[in-house]
Amino acid sequence: MRLALSACLSAWTLAVKRKMANWCVRVIRQSSSIIASPSLVRTTPRLLCTAAQQKSSGTGTEEENGTQKPEPGAPEKAFTEEKMQLEEQLKDVTDKYKRALADTENLRQRSQKMIDDAKLYGIQGFCKDLLEVADILEKATESVPKTEVSAANPHLKNLYDGLVMTEVQIQKVFKKHGLVKLNPDSQKFDPYEHEAVFHAPVEGKEPGTVAVVTKVGYKLHGRTLRPALVGVVKAP
């Protein structure tokens, strides 16, 4: 999945860059064709000759002589208009190119985040199923009376020790993969991590704290996978 997304991003970015390059080449060619126009080449020496004749004859500038500035000829007007059009096209192409780069970067970041989340939380469903197994092991160990676990009853003792070892090992595996147990006994109630089953006044405890944990919760890489079922202390 990661390779497919990376390939799509690379292909799309390359297509955008090729399109922008074609636009820039077209604009440069149009500018070169206008500058190299024969009409402009013929007009330039004529203007230079006219200016030289005016200077040699001792005539002053248009402002000093009080004469009006002559209107530019058709080639100059065409050149100016074409230049303005090319500048607008270049501005538009540059803006589109910047927007395309920004969109590509945003798409890359979103895709990378999706890939990272898939790596972290791809086992979320599997972990939820294993939580039931962990709950059963915990209840099994809690249901055995501690007084019965002794050398006088070796079979029960061996069975109990095996269950405890299995429970410890499964918690180690959970922790290795980012799954952490939530046991919020006597902690402040957090609606993002706890689910209140009931509210009751409890003497000696502050209202809003957890009085009883009926079922432990779990978090996967900082995200609540299963909230802890708790009883919350309320004011009398």
Side-chain angles (χ1 to χ4, degrees):
M1 178 180 178
R2 183 176 183 181
L3 294 176
L5 288 173
S6 300
C8 292
L9 283 174
S10 301
W12 190 76
T13 305
L14 183 60
V16 171
K17 289 184 178 179
R18 286 180 178 175
K19 186 175 181 181
M20 297 299 105
N22 292 334
W23 270 93
C24 294
V25 170
R26 188 184 304 172
V27 170
I28 293 172
R29 287 179 178 175
Q30 291 179 356
S31 301
S32 301
S33 61
I34 292 173
I35 294 173
S37 176
S39 61
L40 292 178
V41 174
R42 290 195 300 269
T43 304
T44 303
R46 189 181 304 166
L47 293 175
L48 293 174
C49 293
T50 305
Q53 291 175 2
Q54 290 179 355
K55 184 175 182 181
S56 61
S57 61
T59 57
T61 60
E62 295 175 351
E63 289 78 2
E64 294 173 353
N65 297 332
T67 58
Q68 296 181 354
K69 184 179 180 180
E71 296 182 358
E76 289 83 354
K77 288 183 178 180
F79 176 76
T80 303
E81 292 177 357
E82 191 68 20
K83 178 184 176 183
M84 293 176 63
Q85 291 179 2
L86 291 176
E87 288 178 350
E88 290 295 329
Q89 290 181 4
L90 181 60
K91 183 179 179 181
D92 183 59
V93 170
T94 304
D95 183 67
K96 289 181 179 179
Y97 178 69
K98 291 180 179 179
R99 290 177 181 272
L101 287 179
D103 292 340
T104 304
E105 181 62 20
N106 292 335
L107 179 61
R108 186 193 67 80
Q109 292 179 359
R110 289 196 298 268
S111 301
Q112 186 63 40
K113 188 176 184 304
M114 291 174 61
I115 293 172
D116 295 339
D117 288 345
K119 289 180 179 179
L120 290 176
Y121 306 109
I123 60 173
Q124 182 171 326
F126 179 67
C127 289
K128 281 186 176 180
D129 294 337
L130 283 181
L131 295 184
E132 300 298 328
V133 179
D135 293 339
I136 293 173
L137 283 174
E138 185 177 1
K139 290 179 180 179
T141 55
E142 290 177 353
S143 64
V144 178
K146 300 298 185 292
T147 56
E148 298 293 333
V149 181
S150 62
N153 196 349
H155 298 292
L156 180 60
K157 185 178 184 302
N158 293 335
L159 179 60
Y160 178 79
D161 292 341
L163 290 175
V164 171
M165 291 174 62
T166 304
E167 183 182 5
V168 172
Q169 186 62 31
I170 198 171
Q171 291 298 328
K172 287 182 179 179
V173 174
F174 284 172
K175 189 174 182 180
K176 178 182 177 181
H177 293 279
L179 191 61
V180 182
K181 181 189 288 188
L182 295 175
N183 191 359
D185 190 18
S186 301
Q187 296 180 8
K188 195 74 175 177
F189 177 76
D190 186 354
Y192 296 102
E193 297 181 358
H194 312 148
E195 181 178 345
V197 180
F198 63 90
H199 293 77
V202 178
E203 185 179 356
K205 289 193 176 183
E206 182 182 356
T209 58
V210 176
V212 180
V213 179
T214 59
K215 193 173 186 179
V216 295
Y218 285 89
K219 293 178 71 174
L220 179 62
H221 294 292
R223 178 187 293 180
T224 301
L225 182 62
R226 187 183 75 182
L229 303 182
V230 299
V232 184
V233 180
K234 72 174 182 179

PDB file of all heavy atoms in Angstrom, residues 28-65:
ATOM      1  N   ILE A  28       8.495  31.707 -23.247  1.00  0.00           N
ATOM      2  CA  ILE A  28       9.810  32.184 -23.684  1.00  0.00           C
ATOM      3  C   ILE A  28       9.873  32.258 -25.204  1.00  0.00           C
ATOM      4  O   ILE A  28      10.398  33.212 -25.773  1.00  0.00           O
ATOM      5  CB  ILE A  28      10.903  31.258 -23.122  1.00  0.00           C
ATOM      6  CG1 ILE A  28      10.962  31.393 -21.580  1.00  0.00           C
ATOM      7  CG2 ILE A  28      12.261  31.603 -23.724  1.00  0.00           C
ATOM      8  CD1 ILE A  28      11.863  30.382 -20.921  1.00  0.00           C
ATOM      9  N   ARG A  29       9.296  31.254 -25.872  1.00  0.00           N
ATOM     10  CA  ARG A  29       9.306  31.278 -27.338  1.00  0.00           C
ATOM     11  C   ARG A  29       8.501  32.446 -27.901  1.00  0.00           C
ATOM     12  O   ARG A  29       8.918  33.104 -28.853  1.00  0.00           O
ATOM     13  CB  ARG A  29       8.747  29.956 -27.868  1.00  0.00           C
ATOM     14  CG  ARG A  29       9.715  28.776 -27.681  1.00  0.00           C
ATOM     15  CD  ARG A  29       9.099  27.498 -28.206  1.00  0.00           C
ATOM     16  NE  ARG A  29      10.040  26.381 -28.082  1.00  0.00           N
ATOM     17  CZ  ARG A  29       9.718  25.118 -28.387  1.00  0.00           C
ATOM     18  NH1 ARG A  29       8.486  24.826 -28.825  1.00  0.00           N
ATOM     19  NH2 ARG A  29      10.627  24.163 -28.247  1.00  0.00           N
ATOM     20  N   GLN A  30       7.346  32.723 -27.290  1.00  0.00           N
ATOM     21  CA  GLN A  30       6.545  33.854 -27.755  1.00  0.00           C
ATOM     22  C   GLN A  30       7.274  35.171 -27.561  1.00  0.00           C
ATOM     23  O   GLN A  30       7.249  36.055 -28.416  1.00  0.00           O
ATOM     24  CB  GLN A  30       5.211  33.872 -27.010  1.00  0.00           C
ATOM     25  CG  GLN A  30       4.292  32.710 -27.388  1.00  0.00           C
ATOM     26  CD  GLN A  30       2.979  32.738 -26.623  1.00  0.00           C
ATOM     27  OE1 GLN A  30       2.802  33.587 -25.762  1.00  0.00           O
ATOM     28  NE2 GLN A  30       2.086  31.811 -26.943  1.00  0.00           N
ATOM     29  N   SER A  31       7.972  35.300 -26.413  1.00  0.00           N
ATOM     30  CA  SER A  31       8.732  36.529 -26.163  1.00  0.00           C
ATOM     31  C   SER A  31       9.860  36.680 -27.167  1.00  0.00           C
ATOM     32  O   SER A  31      10.120  37.770 -27.687  1.00  0.00           O
ATOM     33  CB  SER A  31       9.290  36.499 -24.740  1.00  0.00           C
ATOM     34  OG  SER A  31       8.264  36.382 -23.810  1.00  0.00           O
ATOM     35  N   SER A  32      10.543  35.580 -27.478  1.00  0.00           N
ATOM     36  CA  SER A  32      11.661  35.641 -28.418  1.00  0.00           C
ATOM     37  C   SER A  32      11.184  35.993 -29.814  1.00  0.00           C
ATOM     38  O   SER A  32      11.813  36.778 -30.531  1.00  0.00           O
ATOM     39  CB  SER A  32      12.389  34.296 -28.431  1.00  0.00           C
ATOM     40  OG  SER A  32      12.862  33.975 -27.151  1.00  0.00           O
ATOM     41  N   SER A  33      10.019  35.449 -30.216  1.00  0.00           N
ATOM     42  CA  SER A  33       9.508  35.738 -31.557  1.00  0.00           C
ATOM     43  C   SER A  33       9.103  37.192 -31.700  1.00  0.00           C
ATOM     44  O   SER A  33       9.274  37.810 -32.741  1.00  0.00           O
ATOM     45  CB  SER A  33       8.323  34.833 -31.862  1.00  0.00           C
ATOM     46  OG  SER A  33       7.283  35.083 -30.927  1.00  0.00           O
ATOM     47  N   ILE A  34       8.604  37.796 -30.618  1.00  0.00           N
ATOM     48  CA  ILE A  34       8.196  39.207 -30.686  1.00  0.00           C
ATOM     49  C   ILE A  34       9.410  40.112 -30.745  1.00  0.00           C
ATOM     50  O   ILE A  34       9.480  41.070 -31.514  1.00  0.00           O
ATOM     51  CB  ILE A  34       7.315  39.551 -29.478  1.00  0.00           C
ATOM     52  CG1 ILE A  34       5.988  38.809 -29.589  1.00  0.00           C
ATOM     53  CG2 ILE A  34       7.057  41.037 -29.397  1.00  0.00           C
ATOM     54  CD1 ILE A  34       5.121  38.943 -28.387  1.00  0.00           C
ATOM     55  N   ILE A  35      10.426  39.785 -29.911  1.00  0.00           N
ATOM     56  CA  ILE A  35      11.628  40.625 -29.870  1.00  0.00           C
ATOM     57  C   ILE A  35      12.355  40.560 -31.214  1.00  0.00           C
ATOM     58  O   ILE A  35      12.916  41.551 -31.694  1.00  0.00           O
ATOM     59  CB  ILE A  35      12.543  40.168 -28.722  1.00  0.00           C
ATOM     60  CG1 ILE A  35      11.852  40.434 -27.388  1.00  0.00           C
ATOM     61  CG2 ILE A  35      13.883  40.870 -28.749  1.00  0.00           C
ATOM     62  CD1 ILE A  35      12.580  39.869 -26.198  1.00  0.00           C
ATOM     63  N   ALA A  36      12.326  39.384 -31.852  1.00  0.00           N
ATOM     64  CA  ALA A  36      13.028  39.222 -33.125  1.00  0.00           C
ATOM     65  C   ALA A  36      12.161  39.592 -34.316  1.00  0.00           C
ATOM     66  O   ALA A  36      12.486  39.260 -35.450  1.00  0.00           O
ATOM     67  CB  ALA A  36      13.505  37.784 -33.251  1.00  0.00           C
ATOM     68  N   SER A  37      11.057  40.293 -34.112  1.00  0.00           N
ATOM     69  CA  SER A  37      10.155  40.658 -35.200  1.00  0.00           C
ATOM     70  C   SER A  37      10.840  41.605 -36.178  1.00  0.00           C
ATOM     71  O   SER A  37      11.509  42.559 -35.770  1.00  0.00           O
ATOM     72  CB  SER A  37       8.899  41.316 -34.637  1.00  0.00           C
ATOM     73  OG  SER A  37       8.079  41.742 -35.678  1.00  0.00           O
ATOM     74  N   PRO A  38      10.725  41.380 -37.517  1.00  0.00           N
ATOM     75  CA  PRO A  38      11.396  42.256 -38.504  1.00  0.00           C
ATOM     76  C   PRO A  38      10.914  43.683 -38.425  1.00  0.00           C
ATOM     77  O   PRO A  38      11.669  44.617 -38.658  1.00  0.00           O
ATOM     78  CB  PRO A  38      11.040  41.602 -39.844  1.00  0.00           C
ATOM     79  CG  PRO A  38      10.699  40.194 -39.511  1.00  0.00           C
ATOM     80  CD  PRO A  38      10.077  40.239 -38.161  1.00  0.00           C
ATOM     81  N   SER A  39       9.630  43.866 -38.080  1.00  0.00           N
ATOM     82  CA  SER A  39       9.118  45.240 -38.015  1.00  0.00           C
ATOM     83  C   SER A  39       9.813  46.037 -36.949  1.00  0.00           C
ATOM     84  O   SER A  39      10.114  47.220 -37.117  1.00  0.00           O
ATOM     85  CB  SER A  39       7.608  45.205 -37.770  1.00  0.00           C
ATOM     86  OG  SER A  39       7.346  44.559 -36.548  1.00  0.00           O
ATOM     87  N   LEU A  40      10.106  45.399 -35.809  1.00  0.00           N
ATOM     88  CA  LEU A  40      10.813  46.097 -34.737  1.00  0.00           C
ATOM     89  C   LEU A  40      12.262  46.352 -35.113  1.00  0.00           C
ATOM     90  O   LEU A  40      12.842  47.385 -34.773  1.00  0.00           O
ATOM     91  CB  LEU A  40      10.753  45.281 -33.451  1.00  0.00           C
ATOM     92  CG  LEU A  40       9.373  45.164 -32.821  1.00  0.00           C
ATOM     93  CD1 LEU A  40       9.456  44.290 -31.563  1.00  0.00           C
ATOM     94  CD2 LEU A  40       8.823  46.535 -32.469  1.00  0.00           C
ATOM     95  N   VAL A  41      12.849  45.390 -35.824  1.00  0.00           N
ATOM     96  CA  VAL A  41      14.236  45.576 -36.246  1.00  0.00           C
ATOM     97  C   VAL A  41      14.357  46.741 -37.215  1.00  0.00           C
ATOM     98  O   VAL A  41      15.308  47.519 -37.170  1.00  0.00           O
ATOM     99  CB  VAL A  41      14.770  44.278 -36.880  1.00  0.00           C
ATOM    100  CG1 VAL A  41      16.158  44.483 -37.450  1.00  0.00           C
ATOM    101  CG2 VAL A  41      14.791  43.170 -35.832  1.00  0.00           C
ATOM    102  N   ARG A  42      13.346  46.871 -38.132  1.00  0.00           N
ATOM    103  CA  ARG A  42      13.389  47.983 -39.087  1.00  0.00           C
ATOM    104  C   ARG A  42      13.088  49.300 -38.411  1.00  0.00           C
ATOM    105  O   ARG A  42      13.611  50.352 -38.783  1.00  0.00           O
ATOM    106  CB  ARG A  42      12.368  47.728 -40.205  1.00  0.00           C
ATOM    107  CG  ARG A  42      12.765  46.575 -41.133  1.00  0.00           C
ATOM    108  CD  ARG A  42      11.925  46.614 -42.398  1.00  0.00           C
ATOM    109  NE  ARG A  42      10.504  46.493 -42.087  1.00  0.00           N
ATOM    110  CZ  ARG A  42       9.869  45.326 -42.036  1.00  0.00           C
ATOM    111  NH1 ARG A  42      10.538  44.212 -42.260  1.00  0.00           N
ATOM    112  NH2 ARG A  42       8.593  45.281 -41.752  1.00  0.00           N
ATOM    113  N   THR A  43      12.259  49.286 -37.388  1.00  0.00           N
ATOM    114  CA  THR A  43      11.848  50.534 -36.754  1.00  0.00           C
ATOM    115  C   THR A  43      12.950  51.114 -35.895  1.00  0.00           C
ATOM    116  O   THR A  43      13.126  52.325 -35.808  1.00  0.00           O
ATOM    117  CB  THR A  43      10.617  50.286 -35.891  1.00  0.00           C
ATOM    118  OG1 THR A  43       9.600  49.713 -36.696  1.00  0.00           O
ATOM    119  CG2 THR A  43      10.108  51.581 -35.288  1.00  0.00           C
ATOM    120  N   THR A  44      13.753  50.258 -35.253  1.00  0.00           N
ATOM    121  CA  THR A  44      14.771  50.726 -34.315  1.00  0.00           C
ATOM    122  C   THR A  44      15.814  51.618 -34.976  1.00  0.00           C
ATOM    123  O   THR A  44      16.100  52.714 -34.492  1.00  0.00           O
ATOM    124  CB  THR A  44      15.439  49.533 -33.640  1.00  0.00           C
ATOM    125  OG1 THR A  44      14.447  48.758 -33.006  1.00  0.00           O
ATOM    126  CG2 THR A  44      16.465  49.991 -32.620  1.00  0.00           C
ATOM    127  N   PRO A  45      16.441  51.238 -36.140  1.00  0.00           N
ATOM    128  CA  PRO A  45      17.403  52.160 -36.778  1.00  0.00           C
ATOM    129  C   PRO A  45      16.760  53.463 -37.198  1.00  0.00           C
ATOM    130  O   PRO A  45      17.377  54.517 -37.120  1.00  0.00           O
ATOM    131  CB  PRO A  45      17.908  51.358 -37.980  1.00  0.00           C
ATOM    132  CG  PRO A  45      17.672  49.932 -37.609  1.00  0.00           C
ATOM    133  CD  PRO A  45      16.418  49.942 -36.812  1.00  0.00           C
ATOM    134  N   ARG A  46      15.485  53.382 -37.638  1.00  0.00           N
ATOM    135  CA  ARG A  46      14.809  54.606 -38.068  1.00  0.00           C
ATOM    136  C   ARG A  46      14.666  55.569 -36.909  1.00  0.00           C
ATOM    137  O   ARG A  46      14.878  56.771 -37.046  1.00  0.00           O
ATOM    138  CB  ARG A  46      13.442  54.240 -38.636  1.00  0.00           C
ATOM    139  CG  ARG A  46      12.730  55.401 -39.308  1.00  0.00           C
ATOM    140  CD  ARG A  46      11.366  54.946 -39.808  1.00  0.00           C
ATOM    141  NE  ARG A  46      11.521  53.795 -40.697  1.00  0.00           N
ATOM    142  CZ  ARG A  46      10.510  53.037 -41.068  1.00  0.00           C
ATOM    143  NH1 ARG A  46       9.292  53.282 -40.621  1.00  0.00           N
ATOM    144  NH2 ARG A  46      10.713  52.012 -41.879  1.00  0.00           N
ATOM    145  N   LEU A  47      14.318  55.052 -35.739  1.00  0.00           N
ATOM    146  CA  LEU A  47      14.178  55.910 -34.567  1.00  0.00           C
ATOM    147  C   LEU A  47      15.513  56.491 -34.157  1.00  0.00           C
ATOM    148  O   LEU A  47      15.619  57.661 -33.761  1.00  0.00           O
ATOM    149  CB  LEU A  47      13.574  55.105 -33.420  1.00  0.00           C
ATOM    150  CG  LEU A  47      12.126  54.658 -33.613  1.00  0.00           C
ATOM    151  CD1 LEU A  47      11.708  53.767 -32.453  1.00  0.00           C
ATOM    152  CD2 LEU A  47      11.189  55.868 -33.722  1.00  0.00           C
ATOM    153  N   LEU A  48      16.578  55.686 -34.261  1.00  0.00           N
ATOM    154  CA  LEU A  48      17.908  56.180 -33.902  1.00  0.00           C
ATOM    155  C   LEU A  48      18.360  57.285 -34.843  1.00  0.00           C
ATOM    156  O   LEU A  48      18.948  58.283 -34.424  1.00  0.00           O
ATOM    157  CB  LEU A  48      18.914  55.030 -33.914  1.00  0.00           C
ATOM    158  CG  LEU A  48      18.712  53.964 -32.819  1.00  0.00           C
ATOM    159  CD1 LEU A  48      19.687  52.813 -33.034  1.00  0.00           C
ATOM    160  CD2 LEU A  48      18.900  54.578 -31.450  1.00  0.00           C
ATOM    161  N   CYS A  49      18.084  57.103 -36.133  1.00  0.00           N
ATOM    162  CA  CYS A  49      18.455  58.139 -37.112  1.00  0.00           C
ATOM    163  C   CYS A  49      17.709  59.426 -36.850  1.00  0.00           C
ATOM    164  O   CYS A  49      18.255  60.529 -36.936  1.00  0.00           O
ATOM    165  CB  CYS A  49      18.174  57.643 -38.530  1.00  0.00           C
ATOM    166  SG  CYS A  49      19.253  56.270 -39.026  1.00  0.00           S
ATOM    167  N   THR A  50      16.440  59.331 -36.561  1.00  0.00           N
ATOM    168  CA  THR A  50      15.641  60.524 -36.278  1.00  0.00           C
ATOM    169  C   THR A  50      16.171  61.259 -35.065  1.00  0.00           C
ATOM    170  O   THR A  50      16.282  62.492 -35.052  1.00  0.00           O
ATOM    171  CB  THR A  50      14.182  60.134 -36.051  1.00  0.00           C
ATOM    172  OG1 THR A  50      13.708  59.407 -37.167  1.00  0.00           O
ATOM    173  CG2 THR A  50      13.321  61.375 -35.836  1.00  0.00           C
ATOM    174  N   ALA A  51      16.542  60.527 -34.031  1.00  0.00           N
ATOM    175  CA  ALA A  51      17.076  61.150 -32.827  1.00  0.00           C
ATOM    176  C   ALA A  51      18.408  61.817 -33.113  1.00  0.00           C
ATOM    177  O   ALA A  51      18.709  62.903 -32.609  1.00  0.00           O
ATOM    178  CB  ALA A  51      17.239  60.100 -31.734  1.00  0.00           C
ATOM    179  N   ALA A  52      19.243  61.163 -33.965  1.00  0.00           N
ATOM    180  CA  ALA A  52      20.540  61.756 -34.293  1.00  0.00           C
ATOM    181  C   ALA A  52      20.369  63.043 -35.094  1.00  0.00           C
ATOM    182  O   ALA A  52      21.085  64.029 -34.891  1.00  0.00           O
ATOM    183  CB  ALA A  52      21.382  60.753 -35.080  1.00  0.00           C
ATOM    184  N   GLN A  53      19.408  63.057 -36.042  1.00  0.00           N
ATOM    185  CA  GLN A  53      19.167  64.258 -36.820  1.00  0.00           C
ATOM    186  C   GLN A  53      18.687  65.399 -35.952  1.00  0.00           C
ATOM    187  O   GLN A  53      19.107  66.550 -36.108  1.00  0.00           O
ATOM    188  CB  GLN A  53      18.128  63.957 -37.907  1.00  0.00           C
ATOM    189  CG  GLN A  53      18.668  63.022 -38.992  1.00  0.00           C
ATOM    190  CD  GLN A  53      17.593  62.651 -39.992  1.00  0.00           C
ATOM    191  OE1 GLN A  53      16.456  63.130 -39.870  1.00  0.00           O
ATOM    192  NE2 GLN A  53      17.955  61.822 -40.965  1.00  0.00           N
ATOM    193  N   GLN A  54      17.796  65.083 -34.978  1.00  0.00           N
ATOM    194  CA  GLN A  54      17.325  66.130 -34.082  1.00  0.00           C
ATOM    195  C   GLN A  54      18.455  66.694 -33.246  1.00  0.00           C
ATOM    196  O   GLN A  54      18.546  67.894 -32.999  1.00  0.00           O
ATOM    197  CB  GLN A  54      16.226  65.576 -33.165  1.00  0.00           C
ATOM    198  CG  GLN A  54      14.934  65.274 -33.904  1.00  0.00           C
ATOM    199  CD  GLN A  54      13.867  64.716 -32.990  1.00  0.00           C
ATOM    200  OE1 GLN A  54      14.160  64.484 -31.815  1.00  0.00           O
ATOM    201  NE2 GLN A  54      12.670  64.504 -33.521  1.00  0.00           N
ATOM    202  N   LYS A  55      19.370  65.823 -32.801  1.00  0.00           N
ATOM    203  CA  LYS A  55      20.477  66.293 -31.980  1.00  0.00           C
ATOM    204  C   LYS A  55      21.445  67.135 -32.780  1.00  0.00           C
ATOM    205  O   LYS A  55      21.953  68.159 -32.322  1.00  0.00           O
ATOM    206  CB  LYS A  55      21.194  65.079 -31.377  1.00  0.00           C
ATOM    207  CG  LYS A  55      22.308  65.456 -30.411  1.00  0.00           C
ATOM    208  CD  LYS A  55      22.891  64.216 -29.775  1.00  0.00           C
ATOM    209  CE  LYS A  55      23.977  64.604 -28.778  1.00  0.00           C
ATOM    210  NZ  LYS A  55      24.583  63.417 -28.151  1.00  0.00           N
ATOM    211  N   SER A  56      21.709  66.712 -34.047  1.00  0.00           N
ATOM    212  CA  SER A  56      22.641  67.476 -34.886  1.00  0.00           C
ATOM    213  C   SER A  56      22.062  68.802 -35.317  1.00  0.00           C
ATOM    214  O   SER A  56      22.773  69.783 -35.503  1.00  0.00           O
ATOM    215  CB  SER A  56      23.034  66.641 -36.115  1.00  0.00           C
ATOM    216  OG  SER A  56      21.872  66.348 -36.876  1.00  0.00           O
ATOM    217  N   SER A  57      20.772  68.885 -35.536  1.00  0.00           N
ATOM    218  CA  SER A  57      20.132  70.134 -35.953  1.00  0.00           C
ATOM    219  C   SER A  57      19.937  71.087 -34.794  1.00  0.00           C
ATOM    220  O   SER A  57      19.519  72.226 -34.990  1.00  0.00           O
ATOM    221  CB  SER A  57      18.789  69.834 -36.604  1.00  0.00           C
ATOM    222  OG  SER A  57      17.942  69.186 -35.663  1.00  0.00           O
ATOM    223  N   GLY A  58      20.239  70.619 -33.531  1.00  0.00           N
ATOM    224  CA  GLY A  58      20.165  71.500 -32.367  1.00  0.00           C
ATOM    225  C   GLY A  58      18.785  71.645 -31.804  1.00  0.00           C
ATOM    226  O   GLY A  58      18.552  72.526 -30.971  1.00  0.00           O
ATOM    227  N   THR A  59      17.865  70.790 -32.215  1.00  0.00           N
ATOM    228  CA  THR A  59      16.517  70.873 -31.660  1.00  0.00           C
ATOM    229  C   THR A  59      16.529  70.332 -30.258  1.00  0.00           C
ATOM    230  O   THR A  59      17.227  69.357 -29.958  1.00  0.00           O
ATOM    231  CB  THR A  59      15.527  70.068 -32.514  1.00  0.00           C
ATOM    232  OG1 THR A  59      15.992  68.732 -32.590  1.00  0.00           O
ATOM    233  CG2 THR A  59      15.429  70.667 -33.916  1.00  0.00           C
ATOM    234  N   GLY A  60      15.737  70.894 -29.326  1.00  0.00           N
ATOM    235  CA  GLY A  60      15.676  70.472 -27.937  1.00  0.00           C
ATOM    236  C   GLY A  60      14.727  69.326 -27.764  1.00  0.00           C
ATOM    237  O   GLY A  60      14.214  68.738 -28.732  1.00  0.00           O
ATOM    238  N   THR A  61      14.504  68.996 -26.569  1.00  0.00           N
ATOM    239  CA  THR A  61      13.565  67.928 -26.247  1.00  0.00           C
ATOM    240  C   THR A  61      12.149  68.392 -26.511  1.00  0.00           C
ATOM    241  O   THR A  61      11.892  69.591 -26.717  1.00  0.00           O
ATOM    242  CB  THR A  61      13.720  67.516 -24.781  1.00  0.00           C
ATOM    243  OG1 THR A  61      13.458  68.653 -23.963  1.00  0.00           O
ATOM    244  CG2 THR A  61      15.132  67.023 -24.502  1.00  0.00           C
ATOM    245  N   GLU A  62      11.253  67.435 -26.466  1.00  0.00           N
ATOM    246  CA  GLU A  62       9.856  67.748 -26.735  1.00  0.00           C
ATOM    247  C   GLU A  62       9.299  68.675 -25.678  1.00  0.00           C
ATOM    248  O   GLU A  62       8.503  69.565 -25.970  1.00  0.00           O
ATOM    249  CB  GLU A  62       9.037  66.452 -26.783  1.00  0.00           C
ATOM    250  CG  GLU A  62       9.462  65.559 -27.958  1.00  0.00           C
ATOM    251  CD  GLU A  62       8.738  64.232 -27.928  1.00  0.00           C
ATOM    252  OE1 GLU A  62       8.072  63.996 -26.903  1.00  0.00           O
ATOM    253  OE2 GLU A  62       8.845  63.472 -28.898  1.00  0.00           O
ATOM    254  N   GLU A  63       9.743  68.498 -24.428  1.00  0.00           N
ATOM    255  CA  GLU A  63       9.226  69.351 -23.373  1.00  0.00           C
ATOM    256  C   GLU A  63       9.758  70.777 -23.528  1.00  0.00           C
ATOM    257  O   GLU A  63       9.044  71.753 -23.282  1.00  0.00           O
ATOM    258  CB  GLU A  63       9.636  68.787 -22.015  1.00  0.00           C
ATOM    259  CG  GLU A  63       8.916  67.501 -21.622  1.00  0.00           C
ATOM    260  CD  GLU A  63       9.495  66.297 -22.334  1.00  0.00           C
ATOM    261  OE1 GLU A  63      10.475  66.480 -23.099  1.00  0.00           O
ATOM    262  OE2 GLU A  63       8.962  65.180 -22.149  1.00  0.00           O
ATOM    263  N   GLU A  64      11.094  70.900 -23.957  1.00  0.00           N
ATOM    264  CA  GLU A  64      11.667  72.234 -24.114  1.00  0.00           C
ATOM    265  C   GLU A  64      11.055  72.972 -25.294  1.00  0.00           C
ATOM    266  O   GLU A  64      10.873  74.196 -25.259  1.00  0.00           O
ATOM    267  CB  GLU A  64      13.174  72.118 -24.304  1.00  0.00           C
ATOM    268  CG  GLU A  64      13.882  71.580 -23.053  1.00  0.00           C
ATOM    269  CD  GLU A  64      15.346  71.328 -23.335  1.00  0.00           C
ATOM    270  OE1 GLU A  64      15.739  71.451 -24.535  1.00  0.00           O
ATOM    271  OE2 GLU A  64      16.083  70.999 -22.391  1.00  0.00           O
ATOM    272  N   ASN A  65      10.764  72.285 -26.380  1.00  0.00           N
ATOM    273  CA  ASN A  65      10.186  72.913 -27.573  1.00  0.00           C
ATOM    274  C   ASN A  65       8.694  73.121 -27.462  1.00  0.00           C
ATOM    275  O   ASN A  65       8.091  73.771 -28.305  1.00  0.00           O
ATOM    276  CB  ASN A  65      10.488  72.065 -28.807  1.00  0.00           C
ATOM    277  CG  ASN A  65      11.988  71.976 -29.055  1.00  0.00           C
ATOM    278  OD1 ASN A  65      12.745  72.885 -28.695  1.00  0.00           O
ATOM    279  ND2 ASN A  65      12.420  70.871 -29.679  1.00  0.00           N
TER     280      ASN A  65
END
